Amino acid sequence: MDLGISGKKALVCASSKGLGRGCAEALAEAGVNLVMNARGAEALEATAEEIRKTYGVDVVTVAADIVSEEGRAMVLEAAGDVDILVTNAGGPPPGIWSDWDRDDFIKALDSNMLTPIALMTALMPGMKDRGWGRVVNITSQSVKAPIPALGLSNAARTGLTGYVAGTARQVAEFGVIVNNLLPGIHATDRADQLDGGVSKAQGISVEDARKNRQATIPARRYGTRQEFGATCAFLCSQHSGFIVGQNVLIDGGGTNATI
């Protein structure tokens, strides 16, 4: 399928590896030029060069912490006017309710709620003026069904979801389409972190922790960055203009819900 976005420009956050990289690769395959951001310069440059060689698109890299005001300013200056925004940031650490204090919640909100909102606030006016734009926020399946060990993430990402629900409906008439993409467990560093935490807490091997988690997923496996990226690229395409303010689960059936 021709996604109809060849020649567009996208800012993809946290895109040196994992789900962000999957999104960047899928957009590049569709002919989209990229502004890629991540904190680690070495991994970012390596991924960007691979994408350039594979897909022949222009790739600008900005090694900066997107959560900090200084880092975000650097990224936005380099990005300029973009047609597509994919927000993404690592989730806060797992734990239980008694582990966290106010500072922990403020950090989670800064990373997983306020930073995406700041990026949308900065970039959507230009999209609106040009009459076309796409925003995909990478959130989590936890906004549909909370994950007890991820209370910080549950709270911050649900706040973003509420914001998007209203905002998406205010900008859709101008051709700016905003949706959220909700990953379950994918084969990324985040999954390794979570499986490592379970391994330590339960006194089992990481491999056993992974097998136990896979057994709870109807698809009986973790997702891949490639299939996640393909879904993201569709939501960024010309074909998604009637999909407004939605929360699209990509979790192998792991969220047990009717709607």
Side-chain angles (χ1 to χ4, degrees):
M1 177 187 291
D2 181 3
L3 298 183
I5 50 177
S6 181
K8 300 284 189 184
K9 183 166 74 166
L11 167 59
V12 186
C13 301
S15 51
S16 63
K17 51 180 104 169
L19 300 182
R21 175 173 179 164
C23 295
E25 289 170 335
L27 288 169
E29 186 176 11
V32 176
N33 299 311
L34 301 175
V35 179
M36 296 176 60
N37 157 252
R39 288 178 296 181
E42 185 175 350
L44 179 62
E45 292 298 337
T47 298
E49 185 57 25
E50 187 172 338
I51 288 174
R52 292 186 191 103
K53 289 180 179 178
T54 303
Y55 302 108
V57 298
D58 294 332
V59 183
V60 174
T61 59
V62 187
D65 182 0
I66 196 69
V67 176
S68 73
E69 288 190 19
E70 179 182 2
R72 193 158 53 249
M74 290 173 57
V75 172
L76 289 171
E77 182 178 2
D81 292 330
V82 299
D83 307 291
I84 295 166
L85 167 65
V86 180
T87 75
N88 184 31
I96 62 173
W97 61 271
S98 56
D99 293 333
W100 305 312
D101 58 21
R102 175 180 171 80
D103 288 343
D104 295 316
F105 279 98
I106 294 301
K107 289 178 183 177
L109 289 169
D110 275 341
S111 179
N112 298 129
M113 177 182 170
L114 298 178
T115 291
I117 290 173
L119 291 168
M120 285 186 277
T121 300
L123 294 173
M124 288 198 307
M127 297 177 185
K128 180 180 170 183
D129 289 344
R130 294 187 297 275
W132 197 95
R134 297 290 186 268
V135 178
V136 173
N137 299 293
I138 300 176
T139 63
S140 169
Q141 70 183 93
S142 68
V143 305
K144 287 278 191 179
I147 300 170
L150 299 182
L152 294 173
S153 178
N154 296 341
R157 296 188 195 277
T158 301
L160 174 63
T161 303
Y163 174 85
V164 168
T167 300
R169 289 163 172 84
Q170 296 174 40
V171 298
E173 67 177 294
F174 304 104
V176 181
I177 303 302
V178 187
N179 291 290
N180 301 319
L181 192 51
L182 284 53
I185 297 294
H186 287 67
T188 65
D189 290 346
R190 176 65 164 169
D192 291 341
Q193 178 193 28
L194 295 174
D195 288 338
V198 171
S199 169
K200 183 177 179 180
Q202 297 183 3
I204 60 176
S205 69
V206 172
E207 182 61 29
D208 283 342
R210 185 173 296 116
K211 288 179 179 178
N212 291 343
R213 192 187 298 274
Q214 287 173 336
T216 69
I217 303 170
R220 297 295 188 265
R221 65 176 177 86
Y222 289 176
T224 69
R225 77 169 192 261
Q226 289 83 4
E227 59 196 349
F228 186 90
T231 306
C232 179
F234 178 80
L235 290 176
C236 296
S237 76
Q238 295 282 10
H239 310 296
S240 66
F242 211 56
I243 305 173
V244 175
Q246 298 304 301
N247 295 286
V248 180
L249 275 168
I250 179 165
D251 67 347
T255 302
N256 191 11
T258 302
I259 298 175

